[in-house]
């Protein structure tokens, strides 16, 4: 088979188009497009029911949601985050003049390594911001033990983790609060969007006000706030895609298994593992290339795939600490980030989702094997 169209990591998933268009039509008739409209309220309630959490604050994207959540938690000074994450996790802190202190990852999980957190705590540390990378839950138990012992607040960036669990508990129910991304490339997408979820009533109330300029009622502003609201059309998309969650997981899982079979015998290439005892959305097909065993290195494989219009990605290379402004502000951070530097030089994320058929997965696997002459 030949591939005529470019294959992208993160090409959006889409639920029932007719249902979406009906929702948008109704919205147009109502002429209520933003400011906590009925679709946003329905979306928040549906997400709360799905996750089993008390409060969901839908927002315009996860980056602003992270900023609002960390501000509502009163994080200041220094906050410990993994370097192996999308740059928005670090930027959301730095944007508020909070220093992200980069912690190394556990190479077995790609998540922040709790054993390396404690040595980074200083008198200025106020919190830990864990990231559930690829929807595989952080070691929440170990993180929260440290936080209790050292009087730190914990929140999570669950941008990858919608419909995923840790120890049988849905991601979204850990820490003081968690943040999801509903960006077009994410498992559940609203075109653009995000949410903070929490079981804490006071925190929820504070964040609801902060996302709406700090307004309480029509004329009274009681906090410094921002415009973090989700609009109705975004909620229409989110509700429609939420109805398709099961089908999208089934497609992602089918593709994941096809990649697993197709790459099984390739020396030096291993697909990351999802614990079948947990829920996962299988949104990320992630391989590690061991250049000591594999005939070609990661960059050569990615370059070859790009030549064939398969836009595989090197997430999250080279790590936040090697991007600006952190590279200049913290030039020696890499000394404590050996696993991050090692793994981020090995990872390739491959295309999946509704637009990728099993034949396409087989084609990509054949192409990789052919390139490596296996
Ligand atoms: C881990 C992580 N955090 C934060 C974000 C930012 O999300 P958004 O694009 O919704 O602002 C993303 C992805 O875009 C992400 O992957």
């Amino acid at each position: 088979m030949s591939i005529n169209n470019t294959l992208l990591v993160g090409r959006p998933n889409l639920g029932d188009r007719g249902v979406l268009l009906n929702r948008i039509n109704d919205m147009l008739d109502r002429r209520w497009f933003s400011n906590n409209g009925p679709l946003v309220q329905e979306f928040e309630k549906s997400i709360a029911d799905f996750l089993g959490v008390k409060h969901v604050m839908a927002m315009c994207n996860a980056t602003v949601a992270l900023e609002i959540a960390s501000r509502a938690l009163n994080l200041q000074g220094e906050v410990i985050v993994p370097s192996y994450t999308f740059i928005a996790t670090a930027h959301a802190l730095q944007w508020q003049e909070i220093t992200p202190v980069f912690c190394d990852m556990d190479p077995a999980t790609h998540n922040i390594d709790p054993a390396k957190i404690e040595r980074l705590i200083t008198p200025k540390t106020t919190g830990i911001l864990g990231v559930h990378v690829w929807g595989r839950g952080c070691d929440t138990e170990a993180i929260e033990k440290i936080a209790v012992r050292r009087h730190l607040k914990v929140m999570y960036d669950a941008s990858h983790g919608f419909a995923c669990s840790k120890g049988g508990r849905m991601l979204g129910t850990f820490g003081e609060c968690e943040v999801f991304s509903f960006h077009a490339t994410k498992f559940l997408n609203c075109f653009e969007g995000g949410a903070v979820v929490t079981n804490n009533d006071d925190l929820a109330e504070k964040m609801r006000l902060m996302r709406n300029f700090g307004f309480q009622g029509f004329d009274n502003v009681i906090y410094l706030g921002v415009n973090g609201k989700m609009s109705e059309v975004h909620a229409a998309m989110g509700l429609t895609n939420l109805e398709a969650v099961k089908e999208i997981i089934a497609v992602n899982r089918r593709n994941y298994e096809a990649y697993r079979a197709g790459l099984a015998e390739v020396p030096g290439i291993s697909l990351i593992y999802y614990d079948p005892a947990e829920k996962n959305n299988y949104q990320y097909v992630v391989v590690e290339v061991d250049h000591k065993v594999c005939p070609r290195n990661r960059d050569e494989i990615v370059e070859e795939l790009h030549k064939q219009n398969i836009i595989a990605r090197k997430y999250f290379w080279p790590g936040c600490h090697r991007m600006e402004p952190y590279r200049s502000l913290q030039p020696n951070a890499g000394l404590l980030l050996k696993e991050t530097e090692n793994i981020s030089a090995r990872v390739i994320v491959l295309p999946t989702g509704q637009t990728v058929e099993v034949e396409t997965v087989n084609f990509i696997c054949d192409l990789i094997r052919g390139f490596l002459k296996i």
Side-chain angles (χ1 to χ4, degrees):
M1 105 175 239
S2 73
I3 302 285
N4 296 319
N5 293 327
T6 303
L7 281 162
L8 298 173
V9 168
R11 180 153 275 174
N13 293 316
L14 176 60
D16 189 311
R17 186 186 295 238
V19 170
L20 172 65
L21 294 175
N22 283 340
R23 280 201 168 101
I24 294 175
N25 247 328
D26 291 348
M27 177 202 79
L28 294 175
D29 288 343
R30 266 194 305 276
R31 294 195 182 242
W32 189 350
F33 298 158
S34 190
N35 290 358
N36 203 28
L39 291 172
V40 165
Q41 291 176 39
E42 187 185 343
F43 181 61
E44 290 182 339
K45 178 158 188 337
S46 304
I47 298 282
D49 291 347
F50 186 93
L51 298 175
V53 289
K54 232 167 140 184
H55 303 285
V56 175
M57 279 66 62
M59 308 232 180
C60 53
N61 59 55
T63 308
V64 167
L66 284 164
E67 288 169 10
I68 289 176
S70 50
R71 194 177 275 267
L73 279 175
N74 206 18
L75 297 182
Q76 295 172 1
E78 295 175 359
V79 169
I80 297 171
V81 287
S83 176
Y84 193 71
T85 178
F86 183 62
I87 196 69
T89 319
H91 278 357
L93 297 170
Q94 186 74 40
W95 194 255
Q96 303 172 74
E97 300 182 356
I98 299 167
T99 301
V101 173
F102 295 115
C103 185
D104 210 1
M105 63 141 89
D106 175 349
T109 64
H110 295 185
N111 282 327
I112 190 166
D113 184 349
K116 294 181 179 165
I117 289 178
E118 209 137 10
R119 73 184 68 160
L120 301 174
I121 298 174
T122 74
K124 290 187 190 157
T125 311
T126 54
I128 302 168
L129 168 45
V131 182
H132 306 302
V133 177
W134 319 131
R136 299 193 297 183
C138 292
D139 187 346
T140 49
E141 215 174 298
I143 291 171
E144 281 155 41
K145 267 191 196 145
I146 297 168
V148 168
R149 198 167 52 242
R150 305 299 295 263
H151 309 289
L152 301 175
K153 290 178 178 153
V154 180
M155 61 177 276
Y156 293 100
D157 179 344
S159 287
H160 300 180
F162 191 76
C164 302
S165 70
K166 169 78 186 175
R169 231 173 98 181
M170 295 308 278
L171 300 186
T173 61
F174 294 93
E176 304 270 356
C177 63
E178 301 212 40
V179 170
F180 290 101
S181 171
F182 302 132
H183 181 257
T185 56
K186 295 296 187 290
F187 169 69
L188 175 68
N189 90 80
C190 293
F191 301 114
E192 289 269 4
V196 189
V197 306
T198 182
N199 285 320
N200 180 325
D201 298 343
D202 294 338
L203 193 61
E205 181 57 16
K206 202 167 171 184
M207 289 191 279
R208 266 199 194 97
L209 299 175
M210 282 181 165
R211 80 168 165 188
N212 187 29
F213 314 99
F215 267 107
Q216 188 178 53
F218 281 120
D219 305 312
N220 192 21
V221 171
I222 63 164
Y223 286 120
L224 173 64
V226 70
N227 184 354
K229 300 188 298 300
M230 177 180 274
S231 86
E232 287 290 272
V233 77
H234 293 91
M237 181 69 158
L239 279 166
T240 308
N241 288 335
L242 190 58
E243 287 157 2
V245 154
K246 265 197 191 147
E247 295 96 279
I248 300 170
I249 291 178
V251 166
N252 280 348
R253 179 138 199 197
R254 176 203 70 193
N255 287 349
Y256 174 83
E257 298 299 345
Y259 274 114
R260 184 149 76 170
L263 297 172
E265 305 297 324
V266 183
I269 292 206
S270 48
L271 194 62
I272 68 158
Y273 169 82
Y274 291 110
D275 182 350
E278 300 287 2
K279 291 195 170 113
N280 199 279
N281 56 35
Y282 293 87
Q283 178 74 0
Y284 299 95
V285 174
V286 183
V287 298
E288 282 180 33
V289 181
D290 181 350
H291 59 270
K292 292 194 190 107
V293 181
C294 190
R296 301 293 191 113
N297 67 32
R298 187 274 303 269
D299 290 355
E300 290 170 322
I301 298 171
V302 169
E303 201 178 310
E304 177 63 18
L305 290 170
H306 282 204
K307 272 191 210 152
Q308 307 292 335
N309 274 346
I310 298 159
I311 308 304
R313 301 296 305 271
K314 304 181 192 177
Y315 295 151
F316 296 101
W317 183 76
C320 293
H321 67 289
R322 295 228 254 143
M323 296 185 181
E324 292 297 356
Y326 315 106
R327 188 169 52 194
S328 298
L329 291 171
Q330 306 182 32
N332 297 322
L335 295 174
L336 292 177
L337 296 167
K338 290 297 159 215
E339 301 295 353
T340 301
E341 299 212 329
N342 182 21
I343 297 288
S344 65
R346 292 172 171 226
V347 161
I348 305 176
V349 181
L350 294 166
T352 188
Q354 285 172 317
T355 58
V356 178
E357 303 291 337
V358 169
E359 295 74 42
T360 312
V361 172
N362 293 339
F363 174 84
I364 293 171
C365 294
D366 287 348
L367 210 139
I368 293 174
R369 281 202 307 267
F371 181 59
L372 301 177
K373 302 194 169 53
I374 306 296

PDB file of all heavy atoms in Angstrom, residues 61-64 66 85-86 88-89 131 157 159-160 181-183 186 192-193 316, ligand 1:
ATOM      1  N   ASN A  61      -7.954  26.358  27.859  1.00  0.00           N
ATOM      2  CA  ASN A  61      -6.898  25.390  27.525  1.00  0.00           C
ATOM      3  C   ASN A  61      -6.226  24.956  28.831  1.00  0.00           C
ATOM      4  O   ASN A  61      -6.485  25.536  29.892  1.00  0.00           O
ATOM      5  CB  ASN A  61      -5.869  25.964  26.531  1.00  0.00           C
ATOM      6  CG  ASN A  61      -5.183  27.210  27.039  1.00  0.00           C
ATOM      7  OD1 ASN A  61      -4.607  27.216  28.117  1.00  0.00           O
ATOM      8  ND2 ASN A  61      -5.261  28.284  26.278  1.00  0.00           N
ATOM      9  N   ALA A  62      -5.364  23.949  28.730  1.00  0.00           N
ATOM     10  CA  ALA A  62      -4.738  23.426  29.949  1.00  0.00           C
ATOM     11  C   ALA A  62      -3.656  24.352  30.484  1.00  0.00           C
ATOM     12  O   ALA A  62      -3.395  24.367  31.689  1.00  0.00           O
ATOM     13  CB  ALA A  62      -4.145  22.045  29.677  1.00  0.00           C
ATOM     14  N   THR A  63      -3.017  25.116  29.607  1.00  0.00           N
ATOM     15  CA  THR A  63      -1.945  26.000  30.069  1.00  0.00           C
ATOM     16  C   THR A  63      -2.512  27.050  31.023  1.00  0.00           C
ATOM     17  O   THR A  63      -1.983  27.255  32.133  1.00  0.00           O
ATOM     18  CB  THR A  63      -1.245  26.660  28.855  1.00  0.00           C
ATOM     19  OG1 THR A  63      -0.859  25.632  27.950  1.00  0.00           O
ATOM     20  CG2 THR A  63      -0.036  27.464  29.279  1.00  0.00           C
ATOM     21  N   VAL A  64      -3.608  27.686  30.611  1.00  0.00           N
ATOM     22  CA  VAL A  64      -4.254  28.674  31.484  1.00  0.00           C
ATOM     23  C   VAL A  64      -4.824  27.968  32.726  1.00  0.00           C
ATOM     24  O   VAL A  64      -4.758  28.493  33.841  1.00  0.00           O
ATOM     25  CB  VAL A  64      -5.342  29.451  30.700  1.00  0.00           C
ATOM     26  CG1 VAL A  64      -6.240  30.247  31.630  1.00  0.00           C
ATOM     27  CG2 VAL A  64      -4.681  30.387  29.688  1.00  0.00           C
ATOM     28  N   LEU A  66      -3.547  25.402  34.225  1.00  0.00           N
ATOM     29  CA  LEU A  66      -2.413  25.169  35.133  1.00  0.00           C
ATOM     30  C   LEU A  66      -2.038  26.464  35.862  1.00  0.00           C
ATOM     31  O   LEU A  66      -1.726  26.449  37.062  1.00  0.00           O
ATOM     32  CB  LEU A  66      -1.186  24.670  34.352  1.00  0.00           C
ATOM     33  CG  LEU A  66      -1.204  23.211  33.886  1.00  0.00           C
ATOM     34  CD1 LEU A  66      -0.134  22.974  32.823  1.00  0.00           C
ATOM     35  CD2 LEU A  66      -1.005  22.247  35.056  1.00  0.00           C
ATOM     36  N   THR A  85       8.343  16.668  30.133  1.00  0.00           N
ATOM     37  CA  THR A  85       6.930  17.013  29.957  1.00  0.00           C
ATOM     38  C   THR A  85       6.859  18.038  28.843  1.00  0.00           C
ATOM     39  O   THR A  85       7.886  18.597  28.416  1.00  0.00           O
ATOM     40  CB  THR A  85       6.325  17.587  31.258  1.00  0.00           C
ATOM     41  OG1 THR A  85       4.947  17.953  31.022  1.00  0.00           O
ATOM     42  CG2 THR A  85       7.059  18.816  31.758  1.00  0.00           C
ATOM     43  N   PHE A  86       5.641  18.320  28.375  1.00  0.00           N
ATOM     44  CA  PHE A  86       5.471  19.388  27.406  1.00  0.00           C
ATOM     45  C   PHE A  86       5.802  20.716  28.096  1.00  0.00           C
ATOM     46  O   PHE A  86       5.515  20.896  29.282  1.00  0.00           O
ATOM     47  CB  PHE A  86       4.022  19.379  26.886  1.00  0.00           C
ATOM     48  CG  PHE A  86       3.771  20.395  25.823  1.00  0.00           C
ATOM     49  CD1 PHE A  86       4.444  20.348  24.615  1.00  0.00           C
ATOM     50  CD2 PHE A  86       2.860  21.412  26.031  1.00  0.00           C
ATOM     51  CE1 PHE A  86       4.211  21.302  23.627  1.00  0.00           C
ATOM     52  CE2 PHE A  86       2.610  22.364  25.054  1.00  0.00           C
ATOM     53  CZ  PHE A  86       3.289  22.303  23.854  1.00  0.00           C
ATOM     54  N   ALA A  88       4.590  23.506  28.359  1.00  0.00           N
ATOM     55  CA  ALA A  88       3.538  24.282  29.038  1.00  0.00           C
ATOM     56  C   ALA A  88       3.525  24.045  30.540  1.00  0.00           C
ATOM     57  O   ALA A  88       3.160  24.949  31.310  1.00  0.00           O
ATOM     58  CB  ALA A  88       2.170  23.939  28.460  1.00  0.00           C
ATOM     59  N   THR A  89       3.912  22.853  30.994  1.00  0.00           N
ATOM     60  CA  THR A  89       3.888  22.572  32.438  1.00  0.00           C
ATOM     61  C   THR A  89       4.837  23.538  33.149  1.00  0.00           C
ATOM     62  O   THR A  89       4.485  24.140  34.167  1.00  0.00           O
ATOM     63  CB  THR A  89       4.318  21.112  32.724  1.00  0.00           C
ATOM     64  OG1 THR A  89       3.745  20.236  31.776  1.00  0.00           O
ATOM     65  CG2 THR A  89       3.942  20.698  34.127  1.00  0.00           C
ATOM     66  N   VAL A 131       3.297  15.071  36.571  1.00  0.00           N
ATOM     67  CA  VAL A 131       2.668  14.945  35.243  1.00  0.00           C
ATOM     68  C   VAL A 131       2.459  13.453  34.964  1.00  0.00           C
ATOM     69  O   VAL A 131       3.403  12.670  35.090  1.00  0.00           O
ATOM     70  CB  VAL A 131       3.575  15.548  34.143  1.00  0.00           C
ATOM     71  CG1 VAL A 131       2.902  15.460  32.768  1.00  0.00           C
ATOM     72  CG2 VAL A 131       3.952  16.996  34.468  1.00  0.00           C
ATOM     73  N   ASP A 157      -0.582  17.548  36.473  1.00  0.00           N
ATOM     74  CA  ASP A 157      -0.902  17.845  35.082  1.00  0.00           C
ATOM     75  C   ASP A 157      -1.319  16.515  34.461  1.00  0.00           C
ATOM     76  O   ASP A 157      -0.479  15.644  34.196  1.00  0.00           O
ATOM     77  CB  ASP A 157       0.341  18.437  34.397  1.00  0.00           C
ATOM     78  CG  ASP A 157       0.116  18.758  32.931  1.00  0.00           C
ATOM     79  OD1 ASP A 157      -0.866  18.253  32.361  1.00  0.00           O
ATOM     80  OD2 ASP A 157       0.942  19.491  32.356  1.00  0.00           O
ATOM     81  N   SER A 159      -2.837  16.208  31.587  1.00  0.00           N
ATOM     82  CA  SER A 159      -3.190  16.544  30.193  1.00  0.00           C
ATOM     83  C   SER A 159      -3.324  15.323  29.302  1.00  0.00           C
ATOM     84  O   SER A 159      -4.119  15.307  28.369  1.00  0.00           O
ATOM     85  CB  SER A 159      -2.141  17.483  29.595  1.00  0.00           C
ATOM     86  OG  SER A 159      -2.282  18.758  30.150  1.00  0.00           O
ATOM     87  N   HIS A 160      -2.509  14.276  29.565  1.00  0.00           N
ATOM     88  CA  HIS A 160      -2.559  13.069  28.734  1.00  0.00           C
ATOM     89  C   HIS A 160      -3.534  12.038  29.280  1.00  0.00           C
ATOM     90  O   HIS A 160      -3.722  11.000  28.651  1.00  0.00           O
ATOM     91  CB  HIS A 160      -1.183  12.376  28.699  1.00  0.00           C
ATOM     92  CG  HIS A 160      -0.091  13.207  28.155  1.00  0.00           C
ATOM     93  ND1 HIS A 160       1.204  12.769  28.040  1.00  0.00           N
ATOM     94  CD2 HIS A 160      -0.081  14.477  27.669  1.00  0.00           C
ATOM     95  CE1 HIS A 160       1.972  13.723  27.527  1.00  0.00           C
ATOM     96  NE2 HIS A 160       1.206  14.766  27.301  1.00  0.00           N
ATOM     97  N   SER A 181      -5.996  18.509  29.567  1.00  0.00           N
ATOM     98  CA  SER A 181      -6.013  19.267  28.306  1.00  0.00           C
ATOM     99  C   SER A 181      -7.024  18.621  27.373  1.00  0.00           C
ATOM    100  O   SER A 181      -7.048  17.398  27.228  1.00  0.00           O
ATOM    101  CB  SER A 181      -4.639  19.249  27.632  1.00  0.00           C
ATOM    102  OG  SER A 181      -4.762  19.803  26.323  1.00  0.00           O
ATOM    103  N   PHE A 182      -7.830  19.473  26.750  1.00  0.00           N
ATOM    104  CA  PHE A 182      -8.755  19.000  25.716  1.00  0.00           C
ATOM    105  C   PHE A 182      -8.388  19.619  24.372  1.00  0.00           C
ATOM    106  O   PHE A 182      -9.249  19.975  23.566  1.00  0.00           O
ATOM    107  CB  PHE A 182     -10.211  19.324  26.111  1.00  0.00           C
ATOM    108  CG  PHE A 182     -10.623  18.733  27.441  1.00  0.00           C
ATOM    109  CD1 PHE A 182     -11.261  19.510  28.401  1.00  0.00           C
ATOM    110  CD2 PHE A 182     -10.366  17.394  27.727  1.00  0.00           C
ATOM    111  CE1 PHE A 182     -11.649  18.971  29.624  1.00  0.00           C
ATOM    112  CE2 PHE A 182     -10.751  16.842  28.955  1.00  0.00           C
ATOM    113  CZ  PHE A 182     -11.390  17.632  29.901  1.00  0.00           C
ATOM    114  N   HIS A 183      -7.091  19.798  24.167  1.00  0.00           N
ATOM    115  CA  HIS A 183      -6.582  20.299  22.889  1.00  0.00           C
ATOM    116  C   HIS A 183      -6.909  19.303  21.774  1.00  0.00           C
ATOM    117  O   HIS A 183      -7.092  18.099  22.035  1.00  0.00           O
ATOM    118  CB  HIS A 183      -5.053  20.486  23.016  1.00  0.00           C
ATOM    119  CG  HIS A 183      -4.430  21.013  21.779  1.00  0.00           C
ATOM    120  ND1 HIS A 183      -3.728  20.223  20.910  1.00  0.00           N
ATOM    121  CD2 HIS A 183      -4.421  22.268  21.270  1.00  0.00           C
ATOM    122  CE1 HIS A 183      -3.300  20.962  19.897  1.00  0.00           C
ATOM    123  NE2 HIS A 183      -3.705  22.208  20.093  1.00  0.00           N
ATOM    124  N   LYS A 186      -5.402  15.911  21.776  1.00  0.00           N
ATOM    125  CA  LYS A 186      -5.534  15.065  22.958  1.00  0.00           C
ATOM    126  C   LYS A 186      -6.630  14.009  22.769  1.00  0.00           C
ATOM    127  O   LYS A 186      -7.468  14.120  21.882  1.00  0.00           O
ATOM    128  CB  LYS A 186      -5.849  15.930  24.191  1.00  0.00           C
ATOM    129  CG  LYS A 186      -4.701  16.872  24.560  1.00  0.00           C
ATOM    130  CD  LYS A 186      -3.464  16.105  24.974  1.00  0.00           C
ATOM    131  CE  LYS A 186      -2.355  16.998  25.510  1.00  0.00           C
ATOM    132  NZ  LYS A 186      -1.713  17.850  24.507  1.00  0.00           N
ATOM    133  N   GLU A 192      -9.917  23.317  21.230  1.00  0.00           N
ATOM    134  CA  GLU A 192      -9.007  23.788  22.284  1.00  0.00           C
ATOM    135  C   GLU A 192      -9.786  23.683  23.578  1.00  0.00           C
ATOM    136  O   GLU A 192     -11.004  23.920  23.587  1.00  0.00           O
ATOM    137  CB  GLU A 192      -8.617  25.258  22.091  1.00  0.00           C
ATOM    138  CG  GLU A 192      -7.681  25.560  20.942  1.00  0.00           C
ATOM    139  CD  GLU A 192      -6.203  25.514  21.326  1.00  0.00           C
ATOM    140  OE1 GLU A 192      -5.874  25.170  22.485  1.00  0.00           O
ATOM    141  OE2 GLU A 192      -5.393  25.814  20.436  1.00  0.00           O
ATOM    142  N   GLY A 193      -9.114  23.396  24.668  1.00  0.00           N
ATOM    143  CA  GLY A 193      -9.837  23.371  25.938  1.00  0.00           C
ATOM    144  C   GLY A 193      -9.032  22.710  27.028  1.00  0.00           C
ATOM    145  O   GLY A 193      -7.982  22.109  26.772  1.00  0.00           O
ATOM    146  N   PHE A 316       9.609  14.185  24.689  1.00  0.00           N
ATOM    147  CA  PHE A 316       9.649  15.629  24.853  1.00  0.00           C
ATOM    148  C   PHE A 316      11.098  16.054  24.795  1.00  0.00           C
ATOM    149  O   PHE A 316      11.647  16.541  25.761  1.00  0.00           O
ATOM    150  CB  PHE A 316       9.016  16.049  26.194  1.00  0.00           C
ATOM    151  CG  PHE A 316       7.551  15.708  26.230  1.00  0.00           C
ATOM    152  CD1 PHE A 316       7.098  14.588  26.906  1.00  0.00           C
ATOM    153  CD2 PHE A 316       6.635  16.500  25.555  1.00  0.00           C
ATOM    154  CE1 PHE A 316       5.748  14.276  26.927  1.00  0.00           C
ATOM    155  CE2 PHE A 316       5.287  16.183  25.591  1.00  0.00           C
ATOM    156  CZ  PHE A 316       4.850  15.072  26.273  1.00  0.00           C
TER     157      PHE A 316
HETATM  158  C1  LIG B   1       1.716  17.484  29.558  1.00  0.00           C
HETATM  159  C2  LIG B   1       1.046  18.668  28.945  1.00  0.00           C
HETATM  160  N1  LIG B   1       0.766  19.737  29.712  1.00  0.00           N
HETATM  161  C3  LIG B   1       0.148  20.817  29.212  1.00  0.00           C
HETATM  162  C4  LIG B   1      -0.231  20.878  27.885  1.00  0.00           C
HETATM  163  C5  LIG B   1      -0.876  22.119  27.378  1.00  0.00           C
HETATM  164  O1  LIG B   1      -2.187  21.908  26.996  1.00  0.00           O
HETATM  165  P1  LIG B   1      -3.003  23.011  26.177  1.00  0.00           P
HETATM  166  O2  LIG B   1      -2.528  22.902  24.758  1.00  0.00           O
HETATM  167  O3  LIG B   1      -4.426  22.581  26.347  1.00  0.00           O
HETATM  168  O4  LIG B   1      -2.719  24.336  26.781  1.00  0.00           O
HETATM  169  C6  LIG B   1       0.036  19.780  27.046  1.00  0.00           C
HETATM  170  C7  LIG B   1      -0.317  19.715  25.623  1.00  0.00           C
HETATM  171  O5  LIG B   1      -0.549  20.518  24.840  1.00  0.00           O
HETATM  172  C8  LIG B   1       0.701  18.656  27.586  1.00  0.00           C
HETATM  173  O6  LIG B   1       1.014  17.601  26.812  1.00  0.00           O
END
